[in-house]
Amino acid sequence: MTDWFGRTPLDPQGARLGRADDHPAFADRGYLRRRNTIVAAAEGHRVGAPSPSAVYSDAEHATWRTVHAALTRAQEGRVCQAVARAREAAPIPCGHVPQHEEVSDRLQPLGGFRFTLAGGIVPNKRFLGAMADGYFHAVQYVRHPAMPLYTPEPDILHDVFGHGTHLCDPWFADLYRTVGRAAARVESADALDLISRVYWFTLEYGVAWEAGRPKAYGAALLSSYGELGCFTRADIRPFSIPELVRVPYLVAGYQPVLYAVDSLPRLAEHLHGFLDDFDEDTRARHGLPPLRERGFLARPDRPGGGVDR
């Protein structure tokens, strides 16, 4: 069984985890009903409005504890030092699935961000633009308990544990706001797609060189037990915005290509240099390809046939 790029996801010990579309989250009707009930609360939700409380089961709390502990172990020696320090400072509980407001009330004084409710994948303008005002979209549902160390779609562990690690740190929080301000200035799908791709290969799947080794800093890597053990086997290329905007990427499965900055401080230089004056003419100024000529973006079918929110 393989993902869309012909590879089977592995955990850090090399155990095969199966392909995304065979994951039990797509077939378990009881899980789908539970997930869709939680997702329904996001319908019509206004950015910045308080997230409603979700009542979690003992099994969901157990899944959170299992994954939180596994990710903490898997990050050892594999993440940038700044990320490890941020994780220690992040107000994210290890013993239970947290409420958005519970974490947001402690995140805001640290990095100025709060979580705002999402039901799944959010359109670029809303998702990216909300970061300018200090809001990060996050879902509330928990991944399927049968395979807690691999999920084909972002869940609350990815959003709150992964991105929450960044958002408690002022340096990372500034980069999220930089992305958001650029997105807030533009409207076209072409321009928003460019920002999305830069965001994807940095704050989601970014890698930096430290002490001669590639270390993870992107939130998607920080929240993926399997990929933390395998990302060094990817095709790790020097960071280049003109190249990365042309590369296909997928929302489910492991990334075949990653881009590494020379050092984590250089990330801020790259992002501010490209995004601080970003506008509808940026693509032309930099000689970048139009949307129709960029590599495709693959998204999984959402469990239960849900729509993007």
Side-chain angles (χ1 to χ4, degrees), residues 220-304:
L221 295 175
L222 303 183
S223 60
S224 173
Y225 178 79
E227 221 159 355
L228 280 168
C230 302
F231 77 90
T232 56
R233 303 177 211 168
D235 179 5
I236 299 178
R237 303 176 183 176
F239 188 83
S240 167
I241 289 176
E243 181 180 339
L244 68 83
V245 299
R246 293 174 166 86
V247 171
Y249 70 93
L250 67 161
V251 174
Y254 292 179
Q255 303 303 304
V257 178
L258 299 173
Y259 290 89
V261 291
D262 295 337
S263 66
L264 195 55
R266 285 278 290 154
L267 174 63
E269 297 177 31
H270 286 297
L271 292 185
H272 280 290
F274 185 66
L275 297 174
D276 281 354
D277 62 351
F278 193 92
D279 58 25
E280 294 287 358
D281 297 322
T282 292
R283 179 184 63 76
R285 286 200 305 271
H286 288 262
L288 301 175
L291 179 57
R292 65 181 180 276
E293 295 177 12
R294 296 172 206 152
F296 67 87
L297 160 63
R299 288 182 173 176
D301 293 331
R302 267 79 69 203

Side-chain angles (χ1 to χ4, degrees), residues 100-271:
H100 283 185
E101 300 306 302
E102 169 190 357
V103 179
S104 291
D105 286 346
R106 298 180 64 191
L107 272 184
Q108 191 167 20
L110 298 173
F113 267 82
R114 300 187 69 86
F115 291 116
T116 193
L117 187 60
I121 296 173
V122 179
N124 279 337
K125 180 64 177 180
R126 175 174 170 136
F127 176 73
L128 299 171
M131 297 180 199
D133 297 319
Y135 294 108
F136 188 85
H137 283 81
V139 300
Q140 291 181 310
Y141 52 83
V142 183
R143 63 191 60 186
H144 197 285
M147 284 183 92
L149 300 184
Y150 174 56
T151 176
E153 62 168 354
D155 72 333
I156 192 170
L157 277 145
H158 166 74
D159 288 343
V160 173
F161 179 90
H163 288 285
T165 298
H166 285 169
L167 298 174
C168 77
D169 183 273
W171 187 84
F172 276 109
D174 170 71
L175 300 184
Y176 280 76
R177 286 184 180 275
T178 299
V179 170
R181 286 191 292 264
R185 290 194 297 270
V186 296
E187 296 293 337
S188 71
D190 186 293
L192 289 165
D193 179 79
L194 276 178
I195 299 170
S196 177
R197 288 168 186 264
V198 172
Y199 166 82
W200 183 260
F201 283 110
T202 55
L203 295 173
E204 286 287 359
Y205 276 98
V207 177
W209 289 97
E210 275 190 1
R213 297 175 59 193
K215 298 293 183 74
Y217 70 83
L221 295 175
L222 303 183
S223 60
S224 173
Y225 178 79
E227 221 159 355
L228 280 168
C230 302
F231 77 90
T232 56
R233 303 177 211 168
D235 179 5
I236 299 178
R237 303 176 183 176
F239 188 83
S240 167
I241 289 176
E243 181 180 339
L244 68 83
V245 299
R246 293 174 166 86
V247 171
Y249 70 93
L250 67 161
V251 174
Y254 292 179
Q255 303 303 304
V257 178
L258 299 173
Y259 290 89
V261 291
D262 295 337
S263 66
L264 195 55
R266 285 278 290 154
L267 174 63
E269 297 177 31
H270 286 297
L271 292 185

